[in-house]
Amino acid sequence: MSTLPSLQLDMWLRAVTFTALLAAPAVMHADIGYQFVTVGNPGNANDTVTASDGSGLSFGGVSYTYAIGKYDVTLDQYAAFLNAVAQTDPYSLYNPNMATDLNSAGISQTGSSGSYSYSVIGSGSRPVAWVSWFDAARMANWMQNGQPTGQGEVAGSTEQGAYTLNGATSGIINKNANAVNWIPTESEWYKAAYYDPNKGGPGVGGYWTYATRSDTAPGNVVGDGTNRANYNTGVYSVTQSDTYSSLPNYLTDVGAFGANSSSAYGTYDQNGDVYQWVDGVQTDGVTRELRGGAWPSDSAKMQSSFRAFQPVPVPAASDFGFRLATVPEPSATVSLVFAGGLLLARRKRPPTL
């Protein structure tokens, strides 16, 4: 039996593969318009401030350039994610409290399993709340896989990519080496929030106590002011009342406090509004970290030294949200090739902290 020379065989296999790709049904993709900002100045040292949890750990040193979400993931963006993947929702990406908790309500679910649809309640520019660490990881995977629609919660959508989940809803899942979109590590989040390459003078660099470029506690009146955030100063930011009520929505639109309250890298609301999941694990190895404080928090919980944590299985809450990280664009380490409707990406990955 004759065999094809290796070169001819290789060309034949390529032709067969390309023909199969052309014959495959096209996959529809969404675009939620998530914005990133670049965090440069690689090689900065950790903060000299240690965590207040008694661990003795310090954070903020990152040896590479990366990008992080300019804002928290919003209700509009999370609802688009749900409509793309959660018609059945076997892993509970939708939490019913998203509709019933009036303090952070933002997304309603209609229909029955197999045909669920999702709509935003009120302003879609507020951050999504009632999300778990696993919800954030599944959205990171979905972003990495090109935001496909109609495939459900499967390997090519939510279950593989930055994190190999494959149905997991508990335990500690580590980021994969080929991650393109991920939940920021604790030092990545910390640096974007508190580090300023020009604090102390041009090129000197240092860390602020608060993510509003300040060492003094922010104010909380909503508007384009200096050093402000959505938290509890003794009065709640939205109502300016010291009395809690189950009726008002206490979340503010992302970026509501303006550029004068952003971090040095141009991120917004890394203090206040909602706590944000980070891809960090407590020293006990079984609890996940959150950072930044939230609308009911006092100023101490927004300080760089404060770490919040939740046990695994990781719950969701009315003040838990997230932002994502990615490799920076443009970058000499990134090559994007479009062929036959496919996006092929080869990227040099930053090391895991």
Side-chain angles (χ1 to χ4, degrees):
M1 182 177 178
S2 63
T3 59
L4 291 172
S6 60
L7 179 59
Q8 289 179 291
L9 179 60
D10 181 66
M11 293 176 66
W12 178 79
L13 288 172
R14 288 172 181 264
V16 170
T17 301
F18 185 69
T19 301
L21 290 174
L22 291 178
V27 176
M28 299 298 292
H29 296 268
D31 182 3
I32 63 170
Y34 192 63
Q35 298 180 59
F36 293 95
V37 296
T38 298
V39 181
N41 313 104
N44 63 300
N46 279 338
D47 198 351
T48 56
V49 172
T50 57
S52 60
D53 60 1
S55 65
L57 297 174
S58 58
F59 299 93
V62 182
S63 62
Y64 47 86
T65 297
Y66 61 100
I68 196 168
K70 184 176 183 179
Y71 306 108
D72 297 327
V73 172
T74 66
L75 291 164
D76 278 339
Q77 291 163 343
Y78 198 78
F81 167 54
L82 291 174
N83 279 315
V85 305
Q87 286 79 21
T88 301
D89 198 21
Y91 305 123
S92 300
L93 295 171
Y94 178 74
N95 187 313
N97 288 296
M98 291 178 178
T100 59
D101 180 358
L102 299 182
N103 291 160
S104 59
I107 301 176
S108 64
Q109 180 192 68
T110 56
S112 57
S113 181
S115 60
Y116 287 136
S117 64
Y118 304 88
S119 300
V120 171
I121 302 168
S123 171
S125 295
R126 288 170 290 132
V128 66
W130 285 105
V131 287
S132 71
W133 186 93
F134 283 91
D135 298 335
R138 286 188 160 89
M139 187 168 178
N141 281 350
W142 178 71
M143 294 277 288
Q144 176 154 329
N145 287 319
Q147 304 174 54
T149 64
Q151 292 189 338
E153 296 167 30
V154 298
S157 178
T158 64
E159 299 310 292
Q160 294 180 12
Y163 304 91
T164 302
L165 300 174
N166 293 337
T169 56
S170 65
I172 300 297
I173 308 294
N174 294 320
K175 182 181 71 174
N176 291 326
N178 67 339
V180 175
N181 295 102
W182 63 89
I183 302 167
T185 67
E186 196 159 5
S187 276
E188 288 170 347
W189 191 97
Y190 191 107
K191 179 177 179 176
Y194 302 114
Y195 186 70
D196 185 342
N198 295 312
K199 187 183 183 188
V204 176
Y207 290 89
W208 298 104
T209 303
Y210 297 94
T212 54
R213 284 174 290 158
S214 177
D215 289 325
T216 59
N220 75 346
V221 176
V222 180
D224 190 10
T226 299
N227 190 27
R228 300 185 189 182
N230 181 359
Y231 76 110
N232 186 0
T233 64
V235 298
Y236 293 98
S237 178
V238 169
T239 61
Q240 289 296 298
S241 169
D242 61 358
T243 303
Y244 166 77
S245 170
S246 61
L247 297 178
N249 194 304
Y250 285 103
L251 299 180
T252 46
D253 286 357
V254 297
F257 295 93
N260 290 325
S261 295
S262 69
S263 75
Y265 289 104
T267 62
Y268 292 77
D269 308 303
Q270 285 198 260
N271 273 166
D273 229 3
V274 290
Y275 278 103
Q276 294 151 53
W277 290 111
V278 296
D279 197 0
V281 182
Q282 261 281 3
T283 52
D284 62 9
V286 296
T287 51
R288 283 286 185 186
E289 298 292 338
L290 299 110
R291 280 283 189 170
W295 61 266
S297 304
D298 60 25
S299 62
K301 293 179 177 62
M302 302 195 302
Q303 293 177 3
S304 59
S305 60
F306 186 79
R307 305 171 87 199
F309 56 91
Q310 291 290 333
V312 176
V314 180
S318 64
D319 55 356
F320 290 2
F322 68 105
R323 69 184 66 213
L324 296 173
T326 190
V327 292
E329 299 277 11
S331 171
T333 64
V334 179
S335 176
L336 296 179
V337 181
F338 290 87
L342 297 178
L343 172 62
L344 304 177
R346 293 190 309 170
R347 303 189 178 204
K348 181 180 179 181
R349 309 291 170 224
T352 301
L353 291 180

